[in-house]
Amino acid sequence: MRILVLGGTAFVGRAVAAEAVRRGHEVTCAARGVSGDVPDGAELVRVDRREGLGPLVGAEFDAVVDLATMSYGYVRDALASLRAGHWTFVSSINVYADTLVPGPEVLDPVTDESTVEDYAQRDPAIYGAIKVACENAVRAAHPGAFVVRPGLITGPDDKSDRFGYWAQRMARGGRVLVPDDPEQSIQHVDVRDLVAWVLDAAEHGRGGTHDAIGPAVPLRELLTDLADAVAPAGTELVAAAPADLAAAGVQPWGGPKSLPLWLPDSHRGLAARDAGPVLAAGLPVRPLADTARAALETERARGIDRERRAGLTPDEEAELLRTTPTRTWYTR
C-alpha cells in the first residue's frame, strides 16, 4: 500500500510510519521536519500545513493517517487536497462534553464545535471542540473513515513526562510519593498497540468511530504494577491524601510540581470509559510491564536528571515526604 502519514517525525506519527515500513508498505511522511527524522525506509516530503500541502496536492494514496492536533484548517485542507482509499483521523478522548461522569459507550454527546471561533488558534480550552469539528469534516468527506479517540498514550518515545515520570521514579526506588486516591481509575494505550490497530484498519478497510483506550484500572493498581515491573527491592509507595497534596501546592496530571496521572475531580470520567467496544473492535493491549520497560528506556535515553514538563523534582518530593502525612501502600 501507498500510505501517507500527515506527520511522521514524532511519537505517534513516527510510530505509525515505522510500523508501516516494517510491514512492507510504501510510506510518505508530510511534515516540516523540525521535530525529528522520519524512520528509515520512509520518504519525507517537507510541507508546512499553514501553507497547504504543496507538492502533495492532488496526490493519491491507498491510505492517509492524519494526526493534526490543534487546527481544523489543516484537516479541511488535507481532505480537499488529497485522494485516498482509506482515511484515519487521530482525534482525542477530550471530545466528550462530560469529563466528570464515566461514559458507557463511544456515542456519548461530545463538545459543541460551534463554540470554536477560530479553528487555528492553539487554545487548550477548545481542544475538544476543534477535534469534533475535524472528526465531522473527515466523516463527511470519507463516510468509511476510521476515527480514533486516544486518551493517555504511553510507551516508547513518549515525551509528555506523565507515564514516563512514574517509570523512572519507580526505577530509582526508595520512598515514592503517590496520591492516596483509591476512587480514581486510569486508562492508557501503548503507542505500539495503537499504531498496529490503526494500520490493521487501513489494510482491511475498516471504519467507524472508536475510543482508543485500554481497560480502566484503579490508579493505585497501575502504580503498584509499575513498581512490580521496574522498581528495585525495598521500594515503598507512600501515599498522601489529595487534600494534603493540594494544600502543599502539588498539581494533578501535569506541569511543574505535579503528580502525573492523578486527575482532578472534574476530569475523572475521561479515565473511566468503557473499553469493551474498542477491545471487541480489535485494539490489542500488551502487559503493563512491557510498556513500563519501554518508557523507562526512553527516560534513560532522554536523561533522567533533565528538566521535566510534569512530575516532582527529587528535592520537592523529599520535602513533601518530610512534611506531609502519609501512609505506606506497598513495599516491593
Side-chain angles (χ1 to χ4, degrees):
M1 295 175 64
R2 294 189 69 229
I3 297 179
L4 174 66
V5 181
L6 293 169
T9 60
F11 197 30
V12 179
R14 196 173 195 282
V16 170
E19 176 63 11
V21 169
R22 190 193 69 79
R23 294 185 182 202
H25 299 302
E26 180 184 338
V27 181
T28 300
C29 299
R32 290 181 297 163
V34 299
S35 298
D37 299 325
V38 299
D40 290 343
E43 175 193 11
L44 172 64
V45 176
R46 293 184 184 275
V47 300
D48 186 332
R49 294 184 73 172
R50 293 171 296 186
E51 301 170 1
L53 291 176
L56 292 173
V57 172
E60 185 171 357
F61 295 89
D62 297 305
V64 170
V65 180
D66 190 358
L67 298 113
T69 53
M70 289 290 283
S71 177
Y72 168 79
Y74 291 177
V75 174
R76 176 199 58 209
D77 293 347
L79 291 166
S81 299
L82 300 167
R83 291 178 294 167
H86 186 272
W87 199 284
T88 294
F89 178 65
V90 179
S91 185
S92 169
I93 206 75
N94 288 281
V95 299
Y96 293 107
D98 190 338
T99 60
L100 175 60
V101 179
E105 57 185 59
V106 75
L107 297 179
D108 291 347
V110 295
T111 57
D112 182 0
E113 68 172 278
S114 67
T115 63
V116 183
E117 296 177 0
D118 178 4
Y119 291 137
Q121 63 181 309
R122 299 185 66 84
D123 180 358
I126 60 170
Y127 176 66
I130 291 172
K131 285 292 195 180
V132 171
C134 294
E135 285 189 11
N136 290 339
V138 168
R139 283 188 290 262
H142 293 271
F146 192 58
V147 176
V148 297
R149 296 168 171 170
L152 176 68
I153 306 175
T154 58
D157 298 325
D158 171 19
K159 296 181 180 178
S160 70
D161 288 339
R162 292 188 290 258
F163 188 92
Y165 167 81
W166 289 111
Q168 63 81 29
R169 181 60 195 91
M170 298 298 183
R172 199 170 82 231
R175 300 178 72 230
V176 181
L177 184 66
V178 300
D180 193 354
D181 202 342
E183 300 302 317
Q184 186 199 320
S185 64
I186 194 70
Q187 291 171 289
H188 75 102
V189 59
D190 188 293
V191 66
R192 295 165 292 181
D193 295 333
L194 175 62
V195 303
W197 185 52
V198 163
L199 288 168
D200 286 347
E203 291 169 351
H204 295 95
R206 297 176 189 145
T209 299
H210 307 271
D211 289 345
I213 52 172
V217 299
L219 177 60
R220 173 174 180 165
E221 179 181 322
L222 181 137
L223 294 176
T224 301
D225 288 348
L226 266 169
D228 285 339
V230 299
T235 299
E236 291 183 70
L237 304 191
V238 181
D244 292 330
L245 292 171
V250 179
Q251 304 299 314
W253 192 249
K257 198 177 181 180
S258 64
L259 281 177
L261 311 191
W262 173 41
L263 283 163
D265 290 344
S266 59
H267 284 71
R268 297 198 172 194
L270 293 183
R273 298 192 60 79
D274 179 9
V278 71
L279 299 179
L283 176 69
V285 178
R286 70 186 58 224
L288 179 74
D290 189 347
T291 302
R293 288 189 290 267
L296 181 58
E297 184 177 340
T298 293
E299 289 292 315
R300 287 172 171 165
R302 296 181 66 207
I304 294 296
D305 297 325
R306 70 184 188 280
E307 185 174 342
R308 295 178 181 277
R309 299 168 60 188
L312 300 174
T313 67
D315 288 345
E316 288 170 342
E317 184 186 39
E319 176 66 12
L320 288 163
L321 287 170
R322 188 180 67 82
T323 60
T324 306
T326 61
R327 67 184 182 93
T328 299
W329 252 11
Y330 167 88
T331 301
R332 176 89 166 90

